[in-house]
Amino acid sequence: MLLYQQVLEESEQGLSELTIPERLLRLSRDDLYWEKEALFDDCEILQKALLREICQRAEDSKYAKDHGFTRACDLDSWRVQVPVSTYTDYLPYIEAEMNGSAHQLYQADTKLYVATTGSTGKIKLFMESAAGNDAKLLVMAVRGMYMSVLLPVTRDMDAKNLTISNYLQLGDSPDGKPIMRASGQTARNLRKKTGTMNIIPTQFWEISDIPPQEREYMVAVFALAEKRLSKVFCNNLYAFGRVLDLIEQNEQQMIEDIRRGSFSVVQDPVLQRKLQDVFQANESRADALQALLDAQGHLINGTEDLLKLWPNCQMASGWLSGSVGRDAREVLRRMPVSTKCFEMGYGASEGKLNIPTKLATASGVAASMSVFYEFRPLREGADTLFLWEVEDGEAYELIITTYSGLYRYNMLDIVRIDGFTGNTPNIVFCGKSTEFVEVAGQKIYGYQFSDLLHDIEKRMNVNFDVVQVFEENGKLFPVLESLEDVDYSVVKQRIDAYMSSHWCITSEAIYVMKKSYKKHEFDKRLTKDRGVCGIKLPTVLKEKPALDDIEEIVS
């Protein structure tokens, strides 16, 4: 019998106090590796087992009592008894838990609080149980196994990682638990396994008073100083694009910083003292870079020059879907053709939601051993479907139930089914269900508009680095930026031809944005604890762009 099957049976019989994810995570690495495909053989059995466990651990919580569901809540009545929820439904329970009233969402201790910044720009906090944290770690472990097979460089302890994340802890809650950003939590968990492989030391990330622009510059210096840089990890790969920009703009200054072992952008003496031990002088590296600069005129004149800086630059991992996927494609065009790309995995503060199994694709098999899934078709009044009921190629709004106290939680994400692994659906993130425009009675989601422009890109052999849209007085206005020369009159014709045939509308005019627009949009969203790696630009704008950012208007 497979150990995985034994775990399922013991869960069914109530023979273990640990959850299925906790038990699977405690298998030896070899056992988990050889049994990982079995996790995708029958998602219906596995999903039903997860829901049973989650309900058992929820039944005496304040939330379960308030909403009338218990461990006896069977699958047939689940959708009837338990309401679909959003973040505001949990806020009073989270606040009560943080102020010392335990067991608000589950019958277990809270391990930490996970922070995320929503579309409103306000911080949201989620509770995390030990079981919920292990469910995320399990997904990361299985994801890492697929990545290590496809990219053997990940197993090379001498191949260094440039990991860019929102690592900084946001403090402690009133009940004394740490508050972490989701990407920071992930980075900390990964660092436990890859500590010696990381270019940037932990001490650097834990210094809280570094201004965001200065922190970006320092990350670029760390990267340039390490010849063995082989792997880049960051949710939004645009963060690495900005590293390349900073190197191109400050190459001589950075070489001198590497030679001295100090950061020239730091003027504050207190901050200088804090940074004193995190960056060491490297004269031999500075000499090599100076020789390269003298010979070439610039350190980076083209994509293949990156291999002169980092001869073993083999992989980049980030989000490849949604608006961030467009950011990633922009950066990957600047990297050597030999550099391979692996999706970071669809996930959020609420959970890790898919496991990529192939290179250069945003799709991944649903993490059916981590969260319980429901999918709502994009039509009014439709009932939700379970993971084993969805159809290939269809788009749905995603609803999840977790070991950390989210019950039928509407992620407000739209996902598409992209084939199957075993009998488990592959899912890919498309965009937010809150991002849409309504024109002439038509509801157009942001991801649909982005897909339309992606098709135009392929047909015209051009690349748009920003694709947005806004509605004003019942009229539709695309907002586009490209670093290339583009015939926007042809773009408008193609947009209007598609929209006319599919939605019976046309655009009013294209706002062609200056080539600095995207950078400015990221700059204004930076904070000390939130870098570019965790920022997603909206596809649907709520208002017209500023006139100073507009190059021309094509009508």
Side-chain angles (χ1 to χ4, degrees):
M1 177 188 293
L2 289 174
L3 293 171
Y4 159 63
Q5 292 174 336
Q6 181 180 333
V7 168
L8 279 181
E9 289 186 8
E10 291 178 356
S11 171
E12 175 75 34
Q13 298 167 19
L15 299 179
S16 175
E17 293 183 359
L18 297 177
T19 63
I20 290 169
E22 288 173 310
R23 290 283 306 281
L24 291 174
L25 192 62
R26 282 159 179 75
L27 296 178
S28 73
R29 181 175 176 83
D30 284 346
D31 286 336
L32 183 59
Y33 176 83
W34 290 114
E35 297 193 15
K36 65 183 185 301
E37 279 83 8
L39 300 175
F40 312 130
D41 283 345
D42 195 325
C43 66
E44 182 175 354
I45 290 175
L46 183 51
Q47 282 280 279
K48 289 177 178 177
L50 254 69
L51 184 61
R52 182 184 63 250
E53 286 190 348
I54 290 170
C55 287
Q56 287 172 352
R57 284 155 178 76
E59 71 169 335
D60 291 326
S61 70
K62 182 73 164 56
Y63 187 92
K65 291 175 181 177
D66 289 349
H67 292 82
F69 69 91
T70 68
R71 72 168 64 192
C73 185
D74 60 69
L75 197 62
D76 292 335
S77 59
W78 171 250
R79 288 179 290 203
V80 176
Q81 290 185 352
V82 184
V84 173
S85 60
T86 59
Y87 181 73
T88 55
D89 296 309
Y90 296 94
L91 190 54
Y93 298 93
I94 295 169
E95 290 176 345
E97 182 92 15
M98 294 181 75
N99 286 297
S101 183
H103 304 155
Q104 291 291 308
L105 298 179
Y106 41 76
Q107 278 290 3
D109 292 336
T110 293
K111 183 179 178 70
L112 71 154
Y113 296 92
V114 183
T116 187
T117 303
S119 57
T120 62
K122 296 179 180 179
I123 293 287
K124 295 180 181 178
L125 298 175
F126 293 91
M127 294 162 52
E128 187 85 290
S129 68
N133 189 57
D134 275 5
K136 291 178 179 177
L137 290 175
L138 176 62
V139 174
M140 290 167 58
V142 176
R143 186 185 295 164
M145 290 174 181
Y146 280 99
M147 182 169 62
S148 67
V149 171
L150 294 165
L151 293 159
V153 68
T154 58
R155 303 193 300 270
D156 181 354
M157 299 302 291
D158 196 48
K160 300 303 181 182
N161 301 337
L162 177 65
T163 302
I164 307 174
S165 70
N166 295 320
Y167 192 88
L168 191 64
Q169 185 172 320
L170 300 182
D172 291 331
S173 64
D175 60 344
K177 306 293 174 57
I179 301 172
M180 294 293 304
R181 285 197 180 272
S183 62
Q185 180 194 16
T186 299
R188 286 169 183 262
N189 288 331
L190 286 174
R191 188 174 281 266
K192 293 174 184 176
K193 297 182 178 180
T194 62
T196 61
M197 299 166 74
N198 290 289
I199 291 171
I200 303 178
T202 303
Q203 306 96 289
F204 171 78
W205 293 118
E206 292 181 338
I207 298 173
S208 61
D209 50 351
I210 303 176
Q213 283 83 6
E214 291 184 12
R215 188 180 291 274
E216 282 190 316
Y217 176 90
M218 295 177 203
V219 169
V221 174
F222 274 116
L224 186 59
E226 180 51 77
K227 181 180 180 179
R228 294 171 295 174
L229 188 157
S230 304
K231 298 157 284 180
V232 177
F233 296 93
C234 53
N235 288 338
N236 190 339
L237 282 170
Y238 186 64
F240 183 64
R242 289 168 69 107
V243 164
L244 298 180
D245 290 341
L246 286 166
I247 291 173
E248 291 176 355
Q249 296 159 10
N250 303 279
E251 48 196 0
Q252 187 65 66
Q253 179 178 323
M254 287 185 175
I255 290 173
E256 295 309 313
D257 287 353
I258 293 167
R259 189 180 305 282
R260 292 192 307 269
S262 63
F263 299 106
S264 55
V265 294
V266 179
Q267 306 301 322
D268 181 359
V270 174
L271 183 56
Q272 284 179 339
R273 286 193 293 272
K274 290 181 180 179
L275 291 164
Q276 197 166 13
D277 296 326
V278 303
F279 183 62
Q280 305 302 316
N282 188 339
E283 288 194 25
S284 62
R285 176 62 171 170
D287 288 343
L289 291 170
Q290 188 66 58
L292 185 62
L293 178 60
D294 293 342
Q296 296 188 163
H298 293 286
L299 292 178
I300 304 174
N301 291 308
T303 57
E304 298 309 305
D305 283 343
L306 267 61
L307 293 176
K308 298 175 183 177
L309 298 179
W310 306 298
N312 199 33
C313 183
Q314 291 193 37
M315 71 164 287
S317 183
W319 289 329
L320 302 181
S321 61
S323 64
V324 180
R326 189 173 297 279
D327 298 334
R329 290 192 292 273
E330 176 189 337
V331 176
L332 291 169
R333 290 194 296 269
R334 302 175 64 181
M335 300 188 74
V337 293
S338 59
T339 301
K340 306 300 183 184
C341 182
F342 191 76
E343 160 73 47
M344 186 73 78
Y346 168 37
S349 302
E350 298 90 332
K352 306 290 185 185
L353 301 170
N354 80 356
I355 300 171
T357 61
K358 300 176 181 178
L359 292 174
T361 176
S363 176
V365 58
S368 54
M369 70 295 197
S370 177
V371 303
F372 183 79
Y373 296 86
E374 292 177 73
F375 300 83
R376 182 153 59 190
L378 300 179
R379 61 179 186 272
E380 293 296 329
D383 288 335
T384 62
L385 302 173
F386 296 125
L387 185 60
W388 56 93
E389 297 175 326
V390 296
E391 295 184 20
D392 191 16
E394 291 297 313
Y396 302 93
E397 191 172 38
L398 181 62
I399 294 165
I400 64 171
T401 297
T402 76
Y403 286 98
S404 285
L406 298 176
Y407 307 105
R408 305 198 75 204
Y409 178 81
N410 190 345
M411 292 287 294
L412 302 176
D413 285 354
I414 295 174
V415 299
R416 182 184 289 116
I417 308 304
D418 183 28
F420 297 81
T421 298
N423 86 333
T424 302
N426 301 323
I427 60 176
V428 59
F429 172 76
C430 296
K432 302 299 292 185
S433 61
T434 53
E435 278 203 290
F436 62 86
V437 292
E438 289 188 285
V439 179
Q442 292 285 338
K443 187 175 187 177
I444 305 170
Y445 288 103
Y447 86 90
Q448 293 175 307
F449 185 77
S450 183
D451 285 351
L452 161 59
L453 268 295
H454 187 56
D455 182 67
I456 291 173
E457 286 176 297
K458 289 189 290 185
R459 291 174 181 271
M460 295 183 62
N461 193 29
V462 298
N463 296 288
F464 296 113
D465 301 303
V466 175
V467 169
Q468 297 175 318
V469 65
F470 74 96
E471 178 272 332
E472 184 178 63
N473 299 323
K475 297 176 181 179
L476 203 64
F477 297 86
V479 176
L480 305 176
E481 178 198 306
S482 177
L483 302 180
E484 304 170 1
D485 292 328
V486 176
D487 188 337
Y488 285 96
S489 62
V490 175
V491 173
K492 187 175 188 306
Q493 291 172 10
R494 292 180 180 268
I495 290 174
D496 289 347
Y498 181 94
M499 292 199 303
S500 177
S501 63
H502 287 75
W503 301 318
C504 300
I505 60 173
T506 58
S507 65
E508 184 68 15
I510 293 178
Y511 279 66
V512 180
M513 310 307 292
K514 294 179 180 177
K515 292 176 172 47
S516 57
Y517 172 65
K518 182 175 185 173
K519 181 181 185 302
H520 292 163
E521 288 299 294
F522 276 99
D523 284 346
K524 68 187 185 184
R525 289 170 170 81
L526 289 174
T527 63
K528 285 185 179 180
D529 64 283
R530 185 186 186 217
V532 167
C533 62
I535 297 174
K536 304 173 187 175
L537 295 185
T539 302
V540 176
L541 298 177
K542 295 182 179 179
E543 56 188 28
K544 184 187 303 183
L547 289 176
D548 288 346
D549 288 325
I550 300 169
E551 185 72 36
E552 65 173 319
I553 300 174
V554 177
S555 57

